[in-house]
Amino acid sequence: MSFSSEWHTLLNECEGFAEYATLLTPLSQERFQIVDVQEHRIIVEFLDRDVDETQPLQRDQFETLHERISDAVDGFDLSRLPPDADPYPAVLSLHPRFEVDESAGVIRETDEPTGSQIITGTDDEDSDEGATERMEPDVDVYSDALLLIDALERNDLSSLEVLDTPVLINLYTLLSDIQRDANDLRQTVTEVLLDRLHHDQPVHGQFGSIQRTTRRNRDLRDDEEVLAALEDAGIDRERVLSVDRDKVDDALDVTELSESDVYDIEETEYVRKAEVDEEQRETRLQGLKDRLATSDDSEAEELREEIEELESRIAELTEFQTGREYHTQSSVE
């Protein structure tokens, strides 16, 4: 079937699309709506952008994407999309024979008609609210972040010197745990992203950009092997021999020398977390949740909004987002 036929089917689907219905890009998770359908392009408008809200999606770019999908055996890998191409598969999935498989990260052509998998809203606000019921993320950093938000709300941090010591201890403990848990979550997200990034070009999301890079780690081989290789190359072994810290420490153990005889020693003081009162934290956290669930005052509503924003940011960490510019050549590897 020629692309001309596919294109007109897609135009018909877009023209019949419910007004104010919202689509979600499969990678960057940006919300947008179709605002105009023309003979050679489809105009979309992003709902969460302050600049460049409107973007024309050109027919020839859809045709290029269609070719890539046709050439792919198991579907076209969405991570190969050029910058700013994320809305193209989202719109193309409105065609009854194209679907986005977000779990596999591909868009494919199907033999049987299929509905779009990425419509996240309709003109019925009530049904949209029911479909987006808020759920508590099952990540350690979430609970600690809730407690930290509460502590920040209840204390004036403009002058830390006036805060009581227990308050500072609570802040330090929570910040320490959040740093550790956030690093753990970041590492998990990194492992997922590495499976999706197949090139060294920056990929952009709503809050920043990432790029696949390579770090080289070097470990010297056996001492004798290294020295022999250098001597064969005309390098005298004395030129590369140096003091080994571990061997110096071993020597200190069997001699009367002190550390100060061989080390320049500088002592610095720091604070470290000694223990965590998990029971007290859980009690406070549950109290926060109960208070939010039952209170209708303005402060509780503000805190609820902040928590929902925090949940949204945490969700962003676990999902891949793509970039800025779409060209006719879709392969960037």
Side-chain angles (χ1 to χ4, degrees), residues 23-217:
L23 287 159
L24 191 68
T25 57
L27 296 182
S28 61
Q29 300 295 294
E30 288 189 278
R31 299 182 305 135
F32 70 93
Q33 295 174 343
I34 296 174
V35 295
D36 193 15
V37 178
Q38 302 174 6
E39 181 63 27
H40 296 290
R41 63 181 186 174
I42 298 170
I43 311 298
V44 300
E45 182 179 84
F46 290 89
L47 304 181
D48 302 316
R49 292 185 183 180
D50 295 327
V51 295
D52 299 330
E53 302 97 331
T54 302
Q55 179 181 346
L57 306 182
Q58 306 292 342
R59 168 185 167 146
D60 58 350
Q61 311 291 12
F62 279 104
E63 185 170 6
T64 298
L65 178 59
H66 175 261
E67 292 173 355
R68 299 295 182 268
I69 297 172
S70 300
D71 293 339
V73 177
D74 297 319
F76 178 74
D77 186 352
L78 293 172
S79 67
R80 296 178 56 197
L81 288 170
D84 221 22
D86 213 1
Y88 281 85
V91 173
L92 186 58
S93 71
L94 296 177
H95 190 290
R97 293 192 179 276
F98 291 90
E99 66 175 356
V100 169
D101 185 343
E102 292 184 274
S103 61
V106 300
I107 181 172
R108 62 171 64 94
E109 188 170 4
T110 63
D111 294 330
E112 299 295 333
T114 179
S116 170
Q117 297 179 328
I118 55 177
I119 297 176
T120 61
T122 66
D123 52 357
D124 185 349
E125 295 184 359
D126 293 336
S127 63
D128 182 60
E129 291 177 358
T132 57
E133 182 179 354
R134 190 168 68 87
M135 297 182 63
E136 180 176 324
D138 186 20
V139 290
D140 293 336
V141 72
Y142 175 78
S143 296
D144 290 333
L146 282 180
L147 291 170
L148 179 61
I149 289 174
D150 177 60
L152 296 177
E153 288 282 340
R154 291 185 293 107
N155 298 284
D156 182 8
L157 302 187
S158 61
S159 180
L160 294 177
E161 289 76 10
V162 303
L163 295 180
D164 294 337
T165 299
V167 173
L168 292 174
I169 292 174
N170 289 341
L171 287 172
Y172 180 88
T173 302
L174 290 170
L175 290 169
S176 175
D177 287 346
I178 286 176
Q179 181 184 39
R180 182 199 63 222
D181 295 338
N183 281 336
D184 290 343
L185 181 58
R186 185 181 65 155
Q187 183 58 43
T188 301
V189 172
T190 298
E191 293 170 358
V192 176
L193 285 174
L194 285 174
D195 292 334
R196 300 187 181 184
L197 298 179
H198 304 295
H199 50 76
D200 60 359
Q201 294 186 3
V203 181
H204 307 278
Q206 183 178 0
F207 301 118
S209 303
I210 61 171
Q211 184 173 357
R212 187 184 184 110
T213 58
T214 301
R215 181 185 295 113
R216 296 178 68 242
N217 294 319

